[in-house]
């Protein structure tokens, strides 16, 4: 087995015991990138020299006898909408093709304090708008399980890199499913934390009331390790919640005895593939066998989730993206005489079609005469959906649903139909609307061998319960399947 | 629902060419038809979470960044200022 194949938890222990060095691990991951990324195309920017320097620093500290945190020396891939000081951060947009942040996002500061190694920045849908990573200005990322298919999105680069072994763990962001959906399609674990659990300072804003940074790993423990490293309050983000934080990873233990798991029937209805429903229900049966209680229940407003989501997210996006005007940073058109022309041409040349659609929709729903009919009603619906979640959590500890209605589709299959693309998010958007935490984890394959994911949703700040349940399931099935084979020079096994 | 994409584009500071107008109009109408499916709903659309009142930092000046670092990303800089087209005669 090659080093890049191991879990972060295992690698951390191996480094601590002196069995391997951080440099050896870093070289293994950089080699893996070298052999597979021409096909997978997960990375937008690499910093090999800097990563090796960071790894050497870890080895030096370790030799001096210093006790190091668990992520020390672990290569962590970073979604390209998270600001990294001195390292280009593009949001996969022409608008920021040349942007080099003068500061680190809070999550990056925390990773540096843990001596994590950052090999590079990962592809995504432009400004995180999309569900397939195909709206990236730069390149299309392939699903490591089938290179002719999409990895999901918008954090498709993060999910694909972790699935392919070209990162051990990765950070992504989730506004309507952008961590959970690609995790599901790439067969890895993806955690979307409670709104306010992780600082958004330095995350390029898409929809500020819904965005949240979260973690990817090939095991539940790895996703938990990375979450533990980046969560917590931050004076630089007024929406980060002031509360005490206890690391979750050391508490993980496989047990679901007496756990009440709700199954909301709206998430298993039309549009969800039979193979997905069956896989999730089989997982539910496994958990029941291990002592959990299954409770069928209803979340009646679920069907309105997509409407509320696309109104609120687009409205916030149209405001947030007003800052891209060609004045202070990023792309500036060459074709202008007046200031107005400079704004319009910069934005028209700098943004792709999906970003333009969302800006137009957001501007429309906020415009005079339409605000009450759209935005205000969507905000009221948001409260109603939140109340429904609160009330079902009086009957159960968490909910189990499919993450996505279907497995990975072909590259190019849906890119020309925005509505088809939006429907990918039907099972994930309600979670963001209510600000809840949720985790997606693998629960089987369809008849084409493509990964199926299930989603566990919990009350606010129930990350420990969610991850523990996910961890229990992982142990019950004897671990998740190994990495997919890739046709690069060295296969996965 | 008819939507005046030209007007919305103007408000958004986006320039759409003659080919793009019908394409975006059709797409926007389809998207609106989807998001219009909202139930009749009563109540107040308050925006703040009463359980987590946001705290502002103390209003105290701190030096977090250097001016030249911040300006390094600007497309055009002169004498420590960003340059834009002339807006007053």
């Amino acid at each position: 087995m090659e080093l890049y194949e191991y879990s972060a938890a295992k690698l951390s222990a191996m480094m601590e015991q002196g069995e391997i060095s951080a440099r050896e691990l870093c070289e293994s991951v950089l080699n893996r990138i070298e052999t597979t990324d021409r096909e997978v195309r997960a990375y937008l920017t690499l910093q090999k020299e800097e990563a090796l320097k960071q790894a050497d620093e870890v080895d030096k500290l370790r030799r001096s006898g210093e006790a190091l945190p668990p992520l020390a020396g672990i290569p962590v891939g970073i979604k390209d909408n998270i600001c990294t000081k001195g390292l280009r951060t593009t949001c996969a947009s022409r608008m920021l093709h040349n942007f080099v942040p003068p500061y680190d996002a809070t999550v990056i500061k925390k990773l540096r304090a843990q001596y994590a190694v950052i090999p590079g920045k990962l592809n995504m849908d432009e400004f995180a708008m999309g569900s397939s990573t195909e709206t990236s200005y730069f390149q299309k990322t392939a699903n490591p399980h089938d290179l002719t298919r999409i990895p999901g999105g918008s954090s498709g680069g993060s999910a694909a890199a972790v699935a392919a072994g070209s990162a051990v763990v990765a950070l992504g962001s989730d506004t309507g499913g952008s961590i959970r959906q690609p995790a599901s399609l790439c067969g890895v674990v993806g955690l979307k934390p409670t709104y306010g659990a992780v600082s958004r300072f330095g995350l390029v804003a898409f929809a500020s009331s819904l965005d949240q940074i979260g973690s990817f790993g090939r095991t539940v423990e790895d996703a938990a390790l990375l979450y533990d490293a980046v969560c917590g309050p931050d004076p630089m983000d007024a929406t980060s919640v002031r509360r005490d934080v206890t690391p979750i990873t050391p508490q993980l233990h496989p047990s679901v005895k007496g756990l009440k798991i709700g199954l909301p029937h709206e998430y298993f209805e039309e549009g969800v593939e039979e193979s997905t429903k069956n896989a999730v229900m089989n997982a539910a049966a496994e958990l029941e066998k291990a002592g959990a209680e299954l409770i069928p229940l209803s979340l009646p407003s679920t069907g309105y989730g997509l409407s509320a989501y696309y109104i609120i997210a687009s409205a916030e996006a149209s405001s947030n993206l007003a800052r891209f005007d060609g004045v202070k940073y990023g792309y500036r058109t060459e074709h202008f005489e007046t200031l107005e022309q400079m704004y319009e041409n910069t934005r028209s040349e700098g943004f792709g079609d999906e970003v333009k659609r969302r800006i137009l929709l957001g501007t429309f729903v906020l415009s005079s005469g339409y605000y009450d009919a759209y935005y205000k009603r969507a905000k009221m619906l948001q409260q109603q959906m939140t109340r429904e979640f609160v009330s079902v959590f009086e009957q159960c500890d968490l909910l189990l649903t499919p993450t996505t209605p279907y497995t990975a589709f072909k590259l190019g299959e849906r890119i020309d139909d925005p509505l088809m693309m939006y429907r990918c998010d039907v099972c994930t958007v309600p979670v963001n609307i209510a600000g809840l935490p949720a985790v997606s984890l693998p629960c089987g394959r369809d008849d084409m061998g493509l990964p199926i994911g299930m989603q566990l949703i919990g009350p606010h700040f129930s990350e420990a319960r969610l991850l523990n349940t996910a961890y229990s399931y992982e142990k019950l099935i004897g671990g998740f399947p190994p990495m997919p084979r890739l046709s690069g020079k060295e296969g996965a096994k | 629902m008819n939507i005046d994409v030209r007007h919305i584009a103007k408000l958004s500071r986006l320039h759409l060419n003659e080919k793009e107008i019908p394409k975006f109009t059709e797409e926007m109408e389809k998207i609106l038809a989807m998001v219009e499916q909202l139930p009749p709903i009563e109540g107040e659309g308050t925006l703040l979470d009463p359980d987590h009142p946001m705290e502002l930092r103390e209003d105290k000046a701190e030096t977090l960044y250097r001016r030249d670092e911040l300006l390094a990303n600007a497309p055009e800089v002169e004498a420590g200022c960003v340059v834009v087209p002339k807006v007053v005669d």
Side-chain angles (χ1 to χ4, degrees):
Chain A
M1 208 163 146
E2 300 288 334
L3 289 183
Y4 65 78
E5 293 176 83
Y6 287 95
S7 71
K10 174 78 181 159
L11 291 164
S12 187
M14 287 162 85
M15 282 188 277
E16 198 179 342
Q17 275 143 37
E19 293 166 32
I20 60 163
S21 67
R23 189 178 182 97
E24 285 170 300
L25 170 57
C26 187
E27 281 172 348
S28 173
V29 169
L30 292 178
N31 281 339
R32 181 68 175 166
I33 295 171
E34 189 74 34
T35 51
T36 63
D37 213 51
R38 225 166 299 163
E39 293 176 313
V40 177
R41 299 179 298 274
Y43 280 90
L44 289 177
T45 309
L46 280 171
Q47 53 164 8
K48 294 186 181 181
E49 297 297 310
E50 181 63 26
L52 288 169
K53 234 169 73 186
Q54 291 168 350
D56 287 342
E57 175 70 18
V58 172
D59 289 331
K60 209 173 104 190
L61 287 168
R62 183 105 51 198
R63 275 195 303 273
S64 74
E66 196 163 329
L68 295 174
L71 277 186
I74 301 292
V76 183
I78 309 293
K79 187 177 183 180
D80 209 23
N81 59 351
I82 298 174
C83 285
T84 40
K85 186 172 182 175
L87 180 61
R88 187 175 82 131
T89 300
T90 67
C91 283
S93 180
R94 186 185 194 191
M95 188 60 93
L96 289 174
H97 71 103
N98 56 356
F99 178 64
V100 179
Y103 64 95
D104 273 330
T106 297
V107 293
I108 300 298
K109 270 198 180 144
K110 290 187 175 216
L111 289 182
R112 293 197 203 280
Q114 289 243 341
Y115 303 105
V117 169
I118 298 176
K121 304 296 292 286
L122 294 160
N123 197 21
M124 55 186 279
D125 280 297
E126 184 180 5
F127 282 101
M129 297 175 189
S131 306
S132 67
T133 309
E134 290 169 293
T135 71
S136 166
Y137 172 69
F138 301 100
Q139 64 198 34
K140 299 197 193 325
T141 296
N143 190 315
H145 291 268
D146 176 346
L147 298 171
T148 66
R149 292 176 187 273
I150 56 113
S154 66
S155 312
S158 303
V162 171
S166 53
V168 176
V169 288
L171 284 181
S173 68
D174 190 315
T175 305
S178 284
I179 289 174
R180 292 159 286 154
Q181 188 255 17
S184 169
L185 302 191
C186 289
V188 297
V189 179
L191 171 70
K192 183 263 170 204
T194 307
Y195 183 73
V198 177
S199 168
R200 292 182 296 108
F201 178 71
L203 170 69
V204 180
F206 160 15
S208 310
S209 79
L210 306 169
D211 298 342
Q212 187 60 204
I213 293 175
S215 57
F216 288 90
R218 289 187 294 269
T219 66
V220 174
E221 189 180 12
D222 281 7
L225 261 180
L226 184 54
Y227 169 72
D228 280 340
V230 298
C231 71
D234 176 14
M236 299 298 276
D237 175 2
T239 63
S240 79
V241 176
R242 313 286 183 263
R243 60 196 297 281
D244 293 332
V245 176
T246 319
I248 291 171
T249 317
Q251 311 170 41
L252 292 173
H253 66 285
S255 162
V256 292
K257 223 171 167 50
L259 192 77
K260 291 180 179 164
I261 300 177
L263 299 166
H265 68 82
E266 289 83 359
Y267 286 75
F268 294 85
E269 279 167 9
E270 57 161 336
V272 181
E273 276 173 358
E274 280 307 310
S275 53
T276 298
K277 278 187 219 175
N278 292 339
V280 177
M281 289 314 293
N282 287 342
E286 283 284 342
L287 291 163
E288 190 180 30
K289 257 197 322 209
E293 185 188 343
L294 302 180
I295 303 172
L297 43 79
S298 170
L299 287 160
S301 299
T302 303
Y304 298 115
L306 280 180
S307 302
Y309 172 75
Y310 278 95
I311 292 171
I312 295 169
S314 301
E316 293 183 15
S318 73
S319 310
N320 272 325
L321 272 61
R323 74 189 64 176
F324 299 103
D325 55 7
V327 174
K328 303 174 295 299
Y329 41 73
Y331 178 78
R332 179 189 281 192
T333 181
E334 287 173 4
H335 313 105
F336 66 93
E337 281 171 24
T338 66
L339 186 66
E340 187 111 339
Q341 281 169 354
M342 190 185 85
Y343 291 154
E344 283 197 359
N345 291 339
T346 291
R347 292 165 62 77
S348 305
E349 294 161 21
F351 291 136
D353 279 0
E354 183 57 30
V355 175
K356 288 179 188 168
R357 272 194 285 276
R358 308 261 184 131
I359 292 175
L360 291 170
L361 178 64
T363 304
F364 176 77
V365 299
L366 291 177
S367 66
S368 158
Y370 297 102
Y371 177 88
D372 282 357
Y374 290 98
Y375 189 71
K376 199 171 161 204
R377 271 167 80 206
K379 289 300 285 185
M380 289 195 289
L381 189 59
Q382 176 175 35
Q383 291 187 331
Q384 181 167 312
M385 292 180 71
T386 308
R387 281 195 299 270
E388 284 178 12
F389 275 113
V390 169
S391 100
V392 299
F393 287 131
E394 285 167 9
Q395 305 163 53
C396 65
D397 300 309
L398 43 81
L399 300 165
L400 173 62
T401 75
T403 308
T404 58
Y406 28 71
T407 52
F409 45 89
K410 292 269 186 190
L411 282 156
E413 195 180 317
R414 294 185 187 194
I415 191 68
D416 295 325
D417 188 343
L419 285 187
M420 283 289 278
M421 198 64 92
Y422 294 177
R423 290 196 186 105
C424 299
D425 305 335
V426 64
C427 301
T428 49
V429 293
V431 166
N432 301 75
I433 287 177
L436 301 171
V439 60
S440 177
L441 62 155
C443 68
R445 303 283 174 108
D446 67 4
D447 51 14
M448 288 177 292
L450 298 169
I452 297 172
M454 67 183 193
Q455 173 176 238
L456 294 166
I457 308 170
H460 292 107
F461 294 104
S462 64
E463 280 82 356
R465 187 191 303 164
L466 281 179
L467 288 167
N468 204 60
T469 307
Y471 182 73
S472 306
Y473 175 75
E474 185 184 357
K475 295 293 162 202
L476 280 174
I477 61 164
F480 298 131
M483 234 176 251
R485 260 176 194 287
L486 284 160
S487 56
K489 272 179 268 162
E490 37 169 317
K493 282 260 148 137
Chain B
M1 158 78 68
N2 285 326
I3 166 165
D4 183 353
V5 165
R6 223 178 279 268
H7 174 63
I8 298 296
K10 187 80 203 159
L11 293 176
S12 309
R13 293 291 181 268
L14 287 170
H15 174 79
L16 302 180
N17 64 35
E18 287 312 308
K19 261 211 243 136
E20 290 173 315
I21 297 275
K23 175 176 114 69
F24 275 103
T25 305
E26 195 196 324
E27 285 171 355
M28 292 302 297
E29 282 170 358
K30 279 193 190 155
I31 296 168
L32 275 178
M34 177 189 92
V35 303
E36 264 170 352
Q37 291 159 17
L38 290 173
I41 188 165
E42 298 279 317
E44 283 294 311
T46 58
L47 303 170
L48 290 173
D49 176 357
D51 294 336
H52 301 294
M54 287 184 276
E55 269 171 50
L56 296 177
R57 274 175 289 136
E58 197 189 334
D59 186 10
K60 197 176 75 197
E62 285 175 75
T63 308
L64 294 173
Y65 312 107
R66 294 209 330 255
R67 186 190 188 99
D68 58 324
E69 280 182 344
L70 294 177
L71 286 172
N73 276 293
E76 202 183 339
V77 174
E78 218 178 281
C81 299
V82 293
V83 179
V84 294
K86 196 172 177 185
V87 285
V88 280
D89 284 321

